[in-house]
Amino acid sequence: MTRLSKTVFYVFVLVGAANSQVVSANPGTMKRVLDDVSVEYATCAAYFEIVVGAVFDEDADTNTLKQQYSQVAHAAREKAIVIAQVFRSRELAEKITKSRVEMAAKSMLDDIGNDLANVEILISEHLEACKRTMDDPSTVLDEKYAEAMHGSTD
């Protein structure tokens, strides 16, 4: 296993997807797949952050569901950073993840007419995909790998 493959393997262990076939991919494919997965996590971070702001009262800090959504949003953002960091410095990974989250949030807010009362649209569009991203990262990685290989001449 090359040094890069070992690094990717350890990242997958951290995100819960150590058995992914991406570990054996060439570096170009690996970077493309990891960037795609990092974007998925960033999108989910934006989604969960918007839901927290839309559904829960600001004063509801003791609300267990609000705390869970906040923790999941934070975890999604951290996983996006960790994955982005495979081919970048931590500082650059944080910047690119911040940009990805902001772009996803802007797109989502546009989708709901910048009115949080329409958050159901986001829930309908993103809840299942984000639950799957958070709960089953191996499947997400394998799907992104399949997409990269399908569109690739590697």
Side-chain angles (χ1 to χ4, degrees), residues 52 55-67 70:
V52 166
V55 176
F56 303 104
D57 295 330
E58 281 187 38
D59 298 331
D61 288 332
T62 58
N63 185 314
T64 303
L65 191 55
K66 178 183 179 181
Q67 290 174 341
S70 295

Side-chain angles (χ1 to χ4, degrees), residues 105-121:
K106 182 183 180 331
S107 176
M108 288 178 199
L109 290 171
D110 288 347
D111 289 347
I112 62 171
N114 291 307
D115 185 350
L116 294 178
N118 299 324
V119 74
E120 293 87 358
I121 294 169

Side-chain angles (χ1 to χ4, degrees), residues 129-148:
C130 287
K131 280 175 54 178
R132 187 176 58 105
T133 297
M134 298 305 293
D135 294 342
D136 192 7
S138 290
T139 299
V140 175
L141 279 164
D142 289 341
E143 287 173 357
K144 295 300 180 186
Y145 178 75
E147 289 171 16

Side-chain angles (χ1 to χ4, degrees), residues 41-94:
Y41 278 109
T43 299
C44 290
Y47 164 74
F48 286 115
E49 289 170 6
I50 289 170
V51 170
V52 166
V55 176
F56 303 104
D57 295 330
E58 281 187 38
D59 298 331
D61 288 332
T62 58
N63 185 314
T64 303
L65 191 55
K66 178 183 179 181
Q67 290 174 341
Q68 289 173 345
Y69 265 72
S70 295
Q71 289 170 351
V72 172
H74 178 75
R77 184 182 289 263
E78 282 303 310
K79 288 179 180 187
I81 292 168
V82 167
I83 294 169
Q85 191 176 345
V86 172
F87 291 96
R88 299 170 181 88
S89 68
R90 173 74 184 195
E91 180 181 4
L92 189 55
E94 288 174 353

